[in-house]
């Protein structure tokens, strides 16, 4: 499924390759902007610090520090490549989960068609680092952003960009902003996941009206249909599959009506991180259409997975024969107060840990180089810079101990850490991931 999605990107200095832009990340200076890194590394470049192969636990990293597991990251990348290939799916992982160009590149190397994004700033980041195919899972109506996208399309004939449309009004605004564009903008009608769901067109009749509005422009080209099954109200396997079949039927209806005439490839896209087994099953039922179908899956949380929300909801729980994703994040903190036998505090809070879906999970305790399970320790609350720990009689924690926390929801984990060490199981840091939020 190697798709070669890397392209060129416009930079202030002219046209540069994504490889060159990524190389410049390694030349960035390490300093106070990047929390958790060793203070004595100030002034080194990221490349120089990487070459030192420091140990996360013994070579000067300060708590709190978020780390990615090198082995688990690699496992997750391989697993989703295998899954998509097995089910005949193209894959455009949602990059807003990580906003990390190095991970964009690695996902593309592991077969991704391109990268899914949500807002114009994210597209600018992707283009700056050479991403050649972008699926924008949003209706784009900002005139300045549309003109910038149009300029990217004009400057790079190989750049592929697809975005949602979900209203006649949106189509009108897009058409006005793109007047005179040399290349039409490829769009897909977003079918809402149900009444009361997030964005998208609520009924098939309204979808037809939006498609008619697109056809009446010279600036937009309808290339498919899409949506997000994760927004299905009271989502379960039956409701999710029912909505996916509506999406497939809409594509077939549009095709019979000749709405994709002249399109080399019809896009049918869905797939968050909780129901992609349903997407694989229903997309296998897509009938033969007038052009080949790009069955585009957009799951993004897989890259790091998590210890809470997605670990409970991952489709691999329902189809274990397909494999299993592994949580790759661990937030290392330090016990800074033990005011009573039933309570302790570590030095990481809302500024450091995801907490929008679940509190962190106390997993391991390190003392004098030895690591053991965090038996009898649980996180009960977060302050700005503290996690509140409840400790039972069997808990063995002291001031100074390191406590490793598992996290829930990677989408709000990456955005708190602009430079993230990637460490092997023995603590050796082999890479640093730069994020842009």
């Amino acid at each position: 499924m190697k798709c070669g999605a890397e392209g060129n990107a416009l930079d202030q200095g002219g046209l540069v390759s994504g490889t060159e832009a990524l190389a410049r990340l390694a030349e960035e200076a390490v300093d106070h902007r990047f929390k958790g890194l060793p203070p004595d590394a100030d002034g080194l470049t990221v490349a120089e610090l990487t070459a030192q192969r420091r140990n996360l636990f013994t070579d000067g990293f300060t708590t709190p520090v978020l780390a990615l597991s090198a082995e688990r990251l690699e496992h997750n990348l391989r697993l989703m490549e295998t899954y998509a290939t097995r089910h005949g799916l193209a894959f455009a992982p949602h990059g807003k989960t990580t906003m990390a160009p190095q991970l964009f590149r690695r996902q593309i190397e592991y077969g991704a068609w391109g990268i899914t994004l949500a807002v114009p700033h994210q597209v600018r980041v992707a283009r700056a680092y050479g991403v050649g195919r972008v699926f924008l899972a949003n209706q784009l109506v900002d005139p300045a952003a549309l003109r910038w996208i149009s300029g990217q399309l004009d400057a790079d004939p190989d750049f592929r960009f697809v975005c949602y449309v979900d209203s006649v009004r949106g189509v009108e605004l897009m058409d006005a902003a793109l007047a005179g564009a040399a290349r039409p903008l490829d769009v897909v009608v977003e079918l809402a996941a149900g009444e009361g769901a997030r964005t998208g067109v609520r009924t098939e009749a309204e979808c037809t009206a939006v498609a008619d509005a697109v056809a009446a422009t010279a600036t937009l080209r309808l290339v498919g249909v899409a949506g997000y099954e994760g927004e299905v109200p009271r989502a379960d396997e039956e409701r999710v599959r029912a909505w996916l079949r509506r999406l497939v039927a809409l594509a077939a209806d549009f095709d019979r009506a000749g709405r994709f005439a002249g399109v080399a490839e019809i896009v049918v896209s869905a797939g968050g991180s909780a129901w992609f087994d349903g997407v694989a099953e229903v997309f296998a039922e897509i009938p033969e259409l007038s052009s080949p179908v790009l069955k585009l899956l957009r799951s993004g949380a897989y890259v790091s997975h998590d210890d809470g929300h997605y670990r409970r909801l991952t489709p691999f729980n329902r189809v274990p024969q397909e494999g299993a994703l592994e949580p790759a994040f661990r937030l290392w903190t330090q016990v800074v107060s033990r005011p009573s036998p039933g309570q302790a505090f570590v030095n990481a809070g809302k500024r450091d840990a995801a907490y929008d879906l679940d509190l962190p999970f106390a997993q391991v305790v390190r003392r004098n180089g030895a690591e053991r399970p965090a038996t009898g320790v649980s996180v009960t609350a977060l302050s700005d810079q503290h996690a509140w720990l409840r400790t039972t009689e069997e808990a063995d924690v002291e001031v100074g101990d390191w406590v490793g926390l598992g996290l829930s929801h990677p989408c709000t984990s990456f955005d708190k850490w602009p430079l993230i060490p990637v460490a092997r199981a023995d603590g050796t840091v082999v890479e640093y991931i730069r994020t842009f939020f």
Side-chain angles (χ1 to χ4, degrees):
M1 201 178 109
K2 304 292 184 189
C3 297
E6 179 189 341
N8 289 327
L10 286 174
D11 195 82
Q12 289 181 352
L15 199 63
V16 299
S17 73
T19 300
E20 291 168 351
L22 284 167
R24 287 202 299 270
L25 284 180
E27 299 309 312
E28 191 167 12
V30 174
D31 57 26
H32 61 275
R33 293 169 298 160
F34 306 123
K35 57 186 180 179
L37 301 191
D40 66 355
D42 275 12
L44 297 176
T45 66
V46 173
E48 289 168 340
L49 181 57
T50 302
Q52 291 182 356
R53 291 295 194 266
R54 294 202 185 194
N55 188 281
L56 187 69
F57 306 113
T58 61
D59 288 332
F61 289 84
T62 63
T63 57
V65 59
L66 181 69
L68 272 168
S69 161
E71 295 87 353
R72 291 184 171 198
L73 177 63
E74 180 83 4
H75 168 84
N76 292 343
L77 289 164
R78 289 185 182 279
L79 181 64
M80 284 303 291
E81 179 189 28
T82 300
Y83 183 88
T85 300
R86 182 185 302 130
H87 291 281
L89 300 169
F91 189 34
H94 216 313
K96 61 92 178 171
T97 300
T98 67
M99 284 308 297
Q102 293 148 285
L103 295 180
F104 294 170
R105 168 63 65 89
R106 199 166 306 173
Q107 288 168 311
I108 289 167
E109 290 173 346
Y110 278 88
W113 170 92
I115 299 296
T116 296
L117 297 163
V119 293
H121 156 70
Q122 296 169 355
V123 183
R124 292 187 63 195
V125 172
R127 290 298 288 157
Y129 292 92
V131 175
R133 296 189 185 124
V134 170
F135 185 99
L136 189 75
N138 233 336
Q139 182 169 246
L140 181 57
V141 295
D142 182 279
L146 284 162
R147 288 192 292 269
W148 180 81
I149 292 290
S150 182
Q152 292 284 299
L153 291 168
D154 290 347
D156 184 357
D158 295 324
F159 179 38
R160 179 85 189 275
F161 179 85
V162 181
C163 75
Y164 283 173
V165 288
D166 86 339
S167 65
V168 171
R169 171 65 173 163
V171 170
E172 292 170 349
L173 291 170
M174 296 172 79
D175 184 44
L178 293 168
R183 281 177 67 182
L185 189 70
D186 286 347
V187 296
V188 291
V189 172
E190 182 194 5
L191 177 66
E195 198 60 42
R198 196 164 57 191
T199 57
V201 186
R202 265 35 184 180
T203 69
E204 280 74 2
E206 291 172 293
C207 287
T208 297
V210 173
D212 286 342
V214 171
T217 74
T219 59
L220 304 176
R221 182 176 70 154
L222 184 66
V223 298
V225 299
Y228 175 45
E229 76 292 337
E231 283 291 311
V232 169
R234 303 181 306 283
D236 59 23
E237 292 186 57
E238 182 179 350
R239 289 187 178 93
V240 165
R241 283 166 173 76
W243 177 83
L244 287 164
R245 291 191 171 96
R246 280 184 64 200
L247 184 70
V248 168
L250 180 65
D253 289 346
F254 276 9
D255 192 51
R256 281 191 294 271
R259 296 187 181 280
F260 302 132
V263 173
E265 185 177 62
I266 298 169
V267 178
V268 182
S269 180
S273 295
W275 301 101
F276 57 75
D277 55 332
V279 175
E281 177 186 318
V282 175
F283 278 15
E285 303 169 3
I286 295 176
E288 185 174 349
L289 302 182
S290 60
S291 294
V293 178
L294 182 73
K295 303 174 183 179
L296 194 61
L297 180 70
R298 306 195 306 270
S299 313
Y302 82 97
V303 67
S304 64
H305 199 41
D306 73 1
D307 281 291
H309 180 74
Y310 287 115
R311 191 169 195 173
R312 293 191 298 271
L313 293 180
T314 175
F316 292 119
N317 289 339
R318 297 186 290 272
V319 282
Q321 66 272 20
E322 297 268 20
L325 294 168
E326 297 177 352
F329 268 140
R330 181 163 284 170
L331 177 60
W332 286 101
T333 67
Q334 195 165 23
V335 179
V336 294
S337 181
R338 188 80 159 96
S340 71
Q343 197 173 42
F345 291 86
V346 294
N347 61 347
K350 294 178 181 178
R351 300 286 185 264
D352 314 296
Y355 61 92
D356 56 320
L357 295 180
D358 298 289
L359 290 172
F361 308 91
Q363 295 179 323
V364 294
V365 176
R366 286 184 66 91
R367 184 187 302 159
N368 299 325
E371 192 171 299
R372 62 184 182 280
T375 304
V377 182
S378 58
V379 178
T380 60
L382 294 179
S383 299
D384 284 353
Q385 297 293 173
H386 293 94
W388 297 55
L389 305 185
R390 178 185 294 126
T391 55
T392 66
E393 290 182 358
E394 48 189 350
D396 179 14
V397 291
E398 297 177 354
V399 170
D401 289 349
W402 281 35
V403 179
L405 304 179
L407 302 175
S408 180
H409 202 194
C411 297
T412 51
S413 297
F414 280 98
D415 63 0
K416 299 176 186 298
W417 293 85
L419 195 62
I420 303 172
V422 179
R424 292 177 180 153
D426 65 1
T428 302
V429 177
V430 296
E431 187 179 5
Y432 296 83
I433 299 295
R434 185 72 160 94
T435 66
F436 294 88
F437 281 92

